[in-house]
Amino acid sequence: MALGDSLAVANATKYYKKFKAVDNISLTVNKGEFLTILGPSGSGKTSLLKLIAGFEELSDGSILLNNLDITKKKPFEREIGMLFQNYALFPHMTVSDNVAYPLRLRKLSKEDIKQKVRDILKLVHLEDYADRFPEQLSGGQQQRVALARAIVFNPPLLLLDEPLGALDKNLRKQMQLEIMKIQEKVGITTISVTHDQEEALSMSDRICVMNNGKIEQVDSPENLYKHPKNRFVAEFIGEINLIQGDVVDVVDQSAKVKVKDDLIIEVETEKSHSTMKNRPMLIAIRPENIQIAQDASQFHNTLRAEVQNTIYVGESVVLNTKALTGEEITVKIPTYMSDSISNGQEVLLGWNRKDATLILDETPA
Ligand code: ADP
Ligand code: MG
C-alpha cells in the first residue's frame, strides 16, 4: 500500500475576480497525518482543496507535495485521490469496474487490476458486491466504493470534501470510523473538509480552523477545544462561556481577572501580566467545566447564580443561569446530578483555575 507524503501550502492566495476566497494561507500536513479543515460555509475550505487538487489555479503562492513543487501541474499529473460529496460513481459500471477505472486509465495489466480491485474491495468490506451496480447499493456502500476508487491507485494524498454530508447521522458516524480505520491502515496523508465540528474533533490528528479565507488556528483537537486562540475559534467549536475582564495580576501562572469591582476570577495561564495588561481579555469556560458547589471553599472560583431554565439533553442537563453580578452563564451537568435543581433556584457555581482559559478579545462587543 502507498505511504503518504507530506504536503506544504505556502502563502496560497486565490482571487475569484476581485473576491479573495483564500487569503495567504500557509499550512503543512505531515506524512500519514489526518488533517481536517473546519470552518463555516463560505470560509474558503473547498477553494483551498481545489487549489491543492489543481482544479483551480493559485493567484499567488505555491504547493509542494513531498518537497516537489506541483503548483503548475495539471490535476491528473498530481496523482491525488479525491472523494467529494457529489463525486458520483459511474452508474452504468459495476462496483469493480468503477474501482478499476483509475487503474485502467493508468494502463495497468489485467491481472494487476484484478488483484488491486480485489484487495481494495476487501479493505472497504465490499468484496461480495463487486458485480453490483451503484443503484443496487445503499448510500454508505456507494461512498465506500467511491473511497475505494479514490485510493486504489496508491495516491500520495487523499482529499475529502464533506464526503459524508449527504448521509444521516448514524451512518455518518459509522463511516467516520470506517474512513479513520482505512486511513490508518493505508497510512495515506489525508486532508478532509467539514463544517461539522464534532466530525472534526473525532477524526483528526490536527484541525485547521478557517474563517474568511484565513487560518484562525491549527492545533490538535484537544488543544483547540481547551485552548482556543481567539473568540472565533472558541465560539465555533462547542459551547463556551465568555466573560470580559481586566487582568490585574499574574502570580505563579495564576491570573487574577477583575470582572466587576466585587468579582475577581482566577484563571491558570502561561501568559505574562505585561502581555495582557490593558487589553480586552475574555475568560473562556466550557459549560461542562462548571459544577454546582456545596460551599465556596471547594473551588478557586464560585459565583452565586439563579437558574433561569433547564434543558434536558439525555446524558446531561444544560442550565441557563444568571449570576447575581449579572453574567449569563451556561452550565452542563450530568443528568444524575440534576434531580434537585429547578428553575428560579439559586445555586453556587464553582470551577477551578485550570478549568478556564484566557483569550485576547480582538473584537470586543
Ligand atoms: P466553503 O467550502 O468553505 O463553503 P468555498 O471555498 O466554496 O467555501 O467558497 C469561498 C468563497 O468563495 C464563497 O464566498 C464563494 O461564494 C466564493 N466562490 C467559490 N467558488 C467561486 C467561483 N468559482 N467564482 C466566484 N466565487 C467563488
Ligand atoms: Mg465547501
Side-chain angles (χ1 to χ4, degrees), residues 94 100 160 178 234 249 275 314 319:
T94 62
L160 308 169
E178 191 93 357
D249 201 6
T275 60
L319 312 173

Side-chain angles (χ1 to χ4, degrees), residues 272-337:
S272 69
H273 186 203
S274 58
T275 60
M276 299 187 284
K277 196 164 61 179
N278 299 325
R279 307 188 74 175
M281 299 301 294
L282 295 169
I283 304 164
I285 324 166
R286 299 283 176 195
E288 69 271 22
N289 284 345
I290 302 175
Q291 298 175 53
I292 304 297
Q294 298 310 317
D295 65 85
S297 65
Q298 272 181 294
F299 295 97
H300 296 129
N301 302 293
T302 50
L303 200 52
R304 294 219 154 269
E306 186 187 293
V307 177
Q308 301 204 302
N309 66 67
T310 55
I311 304 161
Y312 176 69
V313 286
E315 84 282 8
S316 53
V317 170
V318 174
L319 312 173
N320 291 311
T321 75
K322 187 162 187 174
L324 303 190
T325 41
E327 292 73 25
E328 293 190 346
I329 303 199
T330 304
V331 182
K332 195 177 191 180
I333 57 173
T335 299
Y336 69 86
M337 293 178 76

Side-chain angles (χ1 to χ4, degrees), residues 16 19 21 39-48 50 56 161-162 193:
Y16 297 113
F19 178 74
S41 179
S43 56
K45 307 182 297 295
T46 295
S47 297
L48 177 58
K50 282 182 177 168
E56 292 284 357
D161 191 354
E162 316 232 8
V193 158

Side-chain angles (χ1 to χ4, degrees), residues 53-96:
F55 295 144
E56 292 284 357
E57 221 173 285
L58 284 160
S59 308
D60 200 7
S62 54
I63 293 172
L64 282 79
L65 187 53
N66 211 12
N67 299 320
L68 219 78
D69 192 330
I70 58 164
T71 314
K72 296 272 181 277
K73 282 196 177 177
K74 299 262 178 291
F76 67 88
E77 295 170 330
R78 299 186 184 200
E79 293 281 309
I80 293 174
M82 273 170 282
L83 180 56
F84 291 176
Q85 188 179 324
N86 302 315
Y87 205 67
L89 299 171
F90 304 115
H92 58 285
M93 286 189 197
T94 62
V95 165
S96 61

